Amino acid sequence: MLVDSHCHLDRLDLAEHGGSLDAALQAARERGVGHFLCIGVSADNAAAVKGLAEQYADVDCSVGIHPLDLTPGAEPALQWLLDELDHPRVIAIGETGLDYHYEPQAAELQQASFRLHLQAAQATGKPVIIHTRAARADTLALLREAQLPQAGVLHCFTEDWDMAKAALDLGYYISLSGIVTFRNADALRDVARQVPADRLLVETDSPYLAPIPYRGKPNLPQYVREVAEYLAMLRGESYERLAEQTTTNFKRLFPMAHVAG
């Protein structure tokens, strides 16, 4: 069984499935995907992701504010986040983190929000889902500052091995998406070969970043199979073993997840 450890089910392009989320999830199930983690990115979609997790037995969710969804003067309050996290299907915090690639001018605002999410993690014990782009030093500095007793994950990882190693040394997991299949992703493939088997997750980040051979098309949870098959080939192991290992890792990292079996 596979887990899509990071997908945006409320944002999928469902044209391929006649506009039906039921059909999209069933297509993924038929390809061996047994669980989905639907990610919160804003105050506006917190209710939507919780609603989907309540609707489907094989869907859990997270709640948080993406660094590119922050509005100056309207930063999330810690109490709001704690209230949203107090729900049986909310198993993680985020996605949160830093993105200086698109908004370097918002570094201070992003850092304040990231710290708030890390505070919520301290208070609740729930793991953190981290988005980081062009912000290696500050991301690692804030994680070291927080010293969380529980792990989190650097999702859709695109950085180099030095950053991966530093995060692993802090107890974090690394999640890989369809980007690892892209032609220009040699450095990321180097990371993918080296991540310890017990710290690896797979994801789609759908509807974004569809793997080859679907690159350029809307991504769907069913394509996590392509990511896992490619990683297994890259790491010289069987698909079955990688699927089992990454599912075990998911359950270890997210102990509140409602994963069957």
Side-chain angles (χ1 to χ4, degrees):
M1 183 183 82
L2 272 177
V3 175
D4 186 351
S5 69
H6 194 109
C7 52
H8 301 275
L9 299 181
D10 58 321
R11 297 185 170 195
L12 296 184
D13 182 332
L14 297 169
E16 182 178 326
H17 295 291
S20 169
L21 179 57
D22 287 351
L25 293 176
Q26 186 57 31
R29 295 178 190 121
E30 289 170 2
R31 302 199 72 210
V33 186
H35 203 76
F36 311 84
L37 181 52
C38 182
I39 305 300
V41 296
S42 70
D44 292 337
N45 90 322
V49 298
K50 288 193 291 186
L52 290 170
E54 291 167 353
Q55 182 178 351
Y56 297 100
D58 52 2
V59 174
D60 283 307
C61 70
S62 68
V63 170
I65 311 293
H66 191 287
L68 299 180
D69 275 273
L70 295 167
T71 304
E75 298 88 83
L78 179 60
Q79 191 57 53
W80 172 85
L81 190 52
L82 293 173
D83 290 345
E84 292 292 332
L85 290 166
D86 187 22
H87 186 287
R89 306 297 300 205
V90 178
I91 66 168
I93 300 167
E95 61 187 282
T96 181
L98 305 174
D99 191 319
Y100 299 168
H101 177 78
Y102 286 110
E103 294 187 2
Q105 75 283 0
E108 191 173 327
L109 176 64
Q110 291 183 19
Q111 289 172 26
S113 177
F114 193 12
R115 280 195 174 95
L116 181 143
H117 286 76
L118 294 171
Q119 281 181 268
Q122 287 278 13
T124 64
K126 293 185 177 183
V128 184
I129 298 166
I130 298 157
H131 171 106
T132 179
R133 190 170 185 194
R136 298 177 189 179
D138 286 352
T139 297
L140 291 169
L142 288 174
L143 294 181
R144 290 187 180 107
E145 175 187 292
Q147 294 185 327
L148 295 181
Q150 76 287 349
V153 58
L154 275 62
H155 104 91
C156 193
F157 192 80
T158 56
E159 304 291 346
D160 61 12
W161 173 244
D162 286 346
M163 183 174 187
K165 178 68 165 55
L168 291 163
D169 287 346
L170 290 169
Y172 287 79
Y173 290 59
I174 301 294
S175 182
L176 296 172
S177 70
I179 292 175
V180 76
T181 71
F182 294 0
R183 260 188 237 81
N184 62 350
D186 287 339
L188 185 57
R189 281 186 279 276
D190 182 56
V191 172
R193 292 185 187 98
Q194 296 186 71
V195 175
D198 64 350
R199 295 287 196 85
L200 181 65
L201 297 180
V202 290
E203 65 172 90
T204 57
D205 203 11
S206 51
Y208 318 108
L209 305 169
I212 289 172
Y214 305 104
R215 188 175 183 185
K217 299 179 180 179
N219 201 2
L220 291 162
Q222 69 203 57
Y223 299 152
V224 75
R225 175 86 183 222
E226 275 70 21
V227 178
E229 288 177 341
Y230 186 87
L231 281 172
M233 178 273 296
L234 196 63
R235 292 167 62 90
E237 57 189 274
S238 71
Y239 162 76
E240 290 78 14
R241 179 174 178 178
L242 186 133
E244 180 182 6
Q245 180 69 64
T246 53
T247 297
T248 297
N249 297 345
F250 179 86
K251 291 192 283 190
R252 186 190 316 115
L253 176 58
F254 301 108
M256 291 182 64
H258 300 78
V259 183

